[in-house]
């Protein structure tokens, strides 16, 4: 039987590289695409010798051409951490708008099904807790995070328009904080920051008083959710994340315990528009996809810690 062909945009990034691994494992022919804005070829170099993996160095904000048939497209190209999108606001807006437009056009041309990566950031600093997909969000369009939040809100709108107007088969995933091996050490998110601080003997820096909450999903669980959503017949947005909520202060304490460091925690001013609470309502994912997270934080953090130790040669 002919292999299914899937294009993964953002293939050299944290999530994209795990998706390449998963679809190779499932027997697909995988075409990875990336412009290495925030990604690293190290994340996918183990796939280069495989006959069923191809890599295209390409910026998806420019016209995207892929020869041959395509069955599926995953759009995971975008700066994703606050440090990245604050440094690259225009690229972030362009990849969410022009990049999404180009990939939807490709999906239409190839009659491929496309899944686009949205985010819990579309809920902004939410007034509803936990956040169900029906909640419209509380986003400041002109605040510093607006470049990412509004790019993703546009990504959802144009994806729905291609579905409704052109009949393209679309899927929209709203991803909540995800962690695991291949996260960048210096991407500014809490987990890599705390772990690399613990491993290099620096104080653990918590923003605000640390009472703001987050929920962290292990990358293997997220990839399973993406896989199931892609193969489902549901076109409206679906939250995928781990609903177990934790304050950032508790999280810092867990990492101190795991790493056995004796560093102290220091407190710093809260960044502007930092969300106070984040927790997905995953009722839809449970009912539609039979999905829920399986990896608990203790297990997931251990694997991630081993990765960071290696990355820092500790
Ligand atoms: N990691 C999370 O917790 C999380 C949460 C919500 C949403 N997401 C979404 O998932 C996707 C992947 O996030 P990630 O954490 O893997 O980030 P990442 O920065 O590790 O990966 C993004 C990849 O996209 C590539 N890229 C950026 N602009 C591009 C362009 N114009 N053309 C081609 N490639 C481009 C980068 O080089 C990088 O390899 C993003 O769309 C992000 O918004 C991630």
């Amino acid at each position: 039987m002919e292999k299914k062909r899937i294009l993964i945009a953002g293939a050299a990034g944290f999530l994209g590289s795990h998706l390449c691994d998963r679809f190779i494992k499932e027997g697909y022919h995988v075409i990875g695409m990336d412009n290495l804005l925030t990604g690293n070829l190290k994340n996918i170099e183990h796939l280069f010798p495989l006959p069923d993996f191809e890599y295209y160095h390409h910026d998806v904000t420019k016209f995207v051409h892929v020869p041959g048939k395509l069955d599926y497209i995953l759009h995971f190209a975008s700066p994703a951490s606050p440090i990245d999108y604050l440094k690259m606001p225009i690229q972030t807006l362009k990849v969410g708008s022009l990049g999404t437009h180009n990939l939807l056009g490709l999906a239409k041309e190839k009659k491929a099904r496309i899944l686009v990566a949205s985010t819990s950031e579309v809920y902004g600093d939410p007034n509803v807790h936990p956040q169900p997909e029906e909640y419209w969000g509380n986003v400041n369009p002109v605040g510093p995070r607006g470049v990412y939040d509004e790019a993703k809100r546009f990504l959802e709108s144009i994806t729905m328009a291609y579905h409704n107007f052109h009949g393209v088969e679309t899927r929209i995933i709203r991803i909540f904080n995800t962690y695991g091996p291949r996260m960048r050490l210096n991407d500014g998110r809490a987990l890599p920051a705390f772990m690399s601080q613990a491993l290099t003997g620096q104080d653990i820096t918590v923003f605000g008083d640390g009472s703001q909450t987050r929920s962290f999903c292990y990358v293997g669980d997220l990839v399973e959710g993406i896989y199931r959503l892609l193969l489902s017949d549901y076109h409206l947005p679906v939250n995928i994340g781990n609903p177990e909520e934790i304050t950032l202060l508790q999280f810092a304490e867990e990492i101190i315990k795991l790493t056995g460091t004796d560093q102290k925690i220091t407190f710093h001013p809260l960044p502007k528009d930092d969300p106070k609470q984040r927790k997905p309502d995953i009722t839809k994912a449970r009912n539609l996809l039979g999905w829920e997270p399986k990896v608990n934080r203790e297990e997931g953090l251990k694997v991630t810690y081993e990765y960071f130790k290696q990355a820092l040669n500790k």
Side-chain angles (χ1 to χ4, degrees), residues 179 216-222 242 244 292-301 303:
Y179 71 95
F216 297 97
C217 182
Y218 185 66
V219 63
D221 283 333
L222 176 79
N242 191 324
E244 203 183 309
E292 58 184 6
K294 294 266 184 295
V295 179
N296 67 33
R297 219 171 33 249
E298 200 183 338
E299 246 176 287
L301 284 180
V303 180

Side-chain angles (χ1 to χ4, degrees), residues 251-261 298:
F251 192 51
E253 283 161 354
E254 277 187 11
I255 291 192
I256 287 177
K257 195 167 151 223
L258 170 77
T259 56
T261 180
E298 200 183 338

